[in-house]
Amino acid sequence: MLKAVILIGGPQKGTRFRPLSFEVPKPLFPVAGVPMLQHHIEACAKVPNMKEILLIGFYQPNEELTRFLFNAQQEFKISIRYLQEYAALGTGGGIYHFRDQIVSGSPEAFFVLNADVCSAFPLAEMLSFQKEHGEPNSLVILGTTANRKQSMNYGCIVENEETHEVLHYVEKPSTFVSDIINCGIYLFTPDIFQHIGAVFQKNQQDMLLEEPTNGWHRAEAIRLEQDIFTALAAQGKLYVYKTLSFWSQIKSAGSAIYASRLYLNQYHTTHPERLASNKEGGCILLFCFLC
């Protein structure tokens, strides 16, 4: 049994989508003709033995999000639930806060996907890779390559080229570290919560030495990248699966245009029905982009 978690963030994120995000929440912004999240959900629903998809974020539930989730459940025939954080807890804090819901039903593993990425989502390949490399409870990061300058804008991964174990991880380094970058798509086993829990306990202990504040919130604000991956590197528990398929971040309306192009190229084989035809009498599409 498998599950998937999609991290959708919250309203103070996505400022680079303004003014478009004033009308449409960033996760529902259309990319290649469908809401951004639909690409993630569709990919997860195709994985054999996928039982549930959980969305985690701190958007207030609204009619638009509720309607999208209902329609997605009907279309993909899978349970989809939204779990609302009480505050921004980070990529690790969110899944740790809702760990009981994630491990309910005893899934053997679960995917974690950032909502603001565009990808071919090679999830089945990541599953096969996990079984072939490392221990049964090993954790897998999806990686791809970038040029030296671009790589410093992402999490950088140094790997053992033979075993693909992650030997070193640095988030947005100031100098060149590696051309392998983190794609924001992961395959975890429930063991990940032991590692996150250790960071949570350390944060709590650190809070005791400081002035009283909103300690629970601060202790739960945990980042997978800086707090977990950096510590797990070179321990034989973290591996990178490198994809040759397309991948891009979607951080702005401009990058959404680039992501749309990548998905539209894929549609020729995956969703030809979503593409307009060139037959006589067919529609003509006109695009106008304002810079």
Side-chain angles (χ1 to χ4, degrees), residues 1-3 49 51 100-110 190:
M1 172 184 169
L2 300 169
K3 289 192 179 185
N49 209 25
K51 297 302 180 184
D100 289 343
Q101 286 89 334
I102 295 173
V103 301
S104 175
S106 301
E108 60 190 71
F110 62 97

Side-chain angles (χ1 to χ4, degrees), residues 79-98:
S79 171
I80 306 174
R81 292 191 291 143
Y82 174 52
L83 305 176
Q84 184 188 2
E85 297 171 309
Y86 64 90
L89 298 178
T91 51
I95 63 174
Y96 187 70
H97 184 74
F98 292 110

Side-chain angles (χ1 to χ4, degrees), residues 80-199:
I80 306 174
R81 292 191 291 143
Y82 174 52
L83 305 176
Q84 184 188 2
E85 297 171 309
Y86 64 90
L89 298 178
T91 51
I95 63 174
Y96 187 70
H97 184 74
F98 292 110
R99 59 193 180 280
D100 289 343
Q101 286 89 334
I102 295 173
V103 301
S104 175
S106 301
E108 60 190 71
F110 62 97
F111 291 96
V112 173
L113 304 87
N114 286 326
D116 59 356
V117 298
C118 154
S119 175
F121 298 110
L123 305 183
E125 293 86 339
M126 292 176 70
L127 275 170
S128 298
F129 174 87
Q130 186 192 47
K131 294 177 181 178
E132 296 170 3
H133 296 78
E135 299 297 323
N137 292 321
S138 60
L139 314 173
V140 180
I141 302 176
L142 180 68
T144 191
T145 55
N147 63 44
R148 292 176 66 97
K149 185 177 180 180
Q150 289 176 332
S151 67
M152 292 187 287
N153 296 319
Y154 304 95
C156 291
I157 300 166
V158 178
E159 69 162 345
N160 179 317
E161 294 185 358
E162 293 184 1
T163 65
H164 304 292
E165 178 192 345
V166 175
L167 302 177
H168 188 52
Y169 184 93
V170 184
E171 185 68 17
K172 296 182 180 178
S174 57
T175 59
F176 176 76
V177 172
S178 168
D179 63 352
I180 305 173
I181 62 172
N182 177 6
C183 292
I185 300 170
Y186 316 117
L187 176 59
F188 294 151
T189 67
D191 274 19
I192 188 67
F193 295 121
Q194 296 180 19
H195 304 297
I196 301 177
V199 173

Side-chain angles (χ1 to χ4, degrees), residues 225-240:
E225 300 79 11
Q226 294 95 323
D227 299 324
I228 306 299
F229 295 159
T230 299
L232 286 181
Q235 292 187 21
K237 299 175 182 177
L238 190 62
Y239 292 79
V240 57

Side-chain angles (χ1 to χ4, degrees), residues 6-28:
I6 305 175
L7 305 177
I8 69 173
Q12 68 259 43
K13 303 282 186 179
T15 54
R16 283 172 282 184
F17 262 75
R18 294 176 180 172
L20 301 175
S21 58
F22 286 138
E23 297 296 328
V24 180
K26 182 181 174 182
L28 299 184

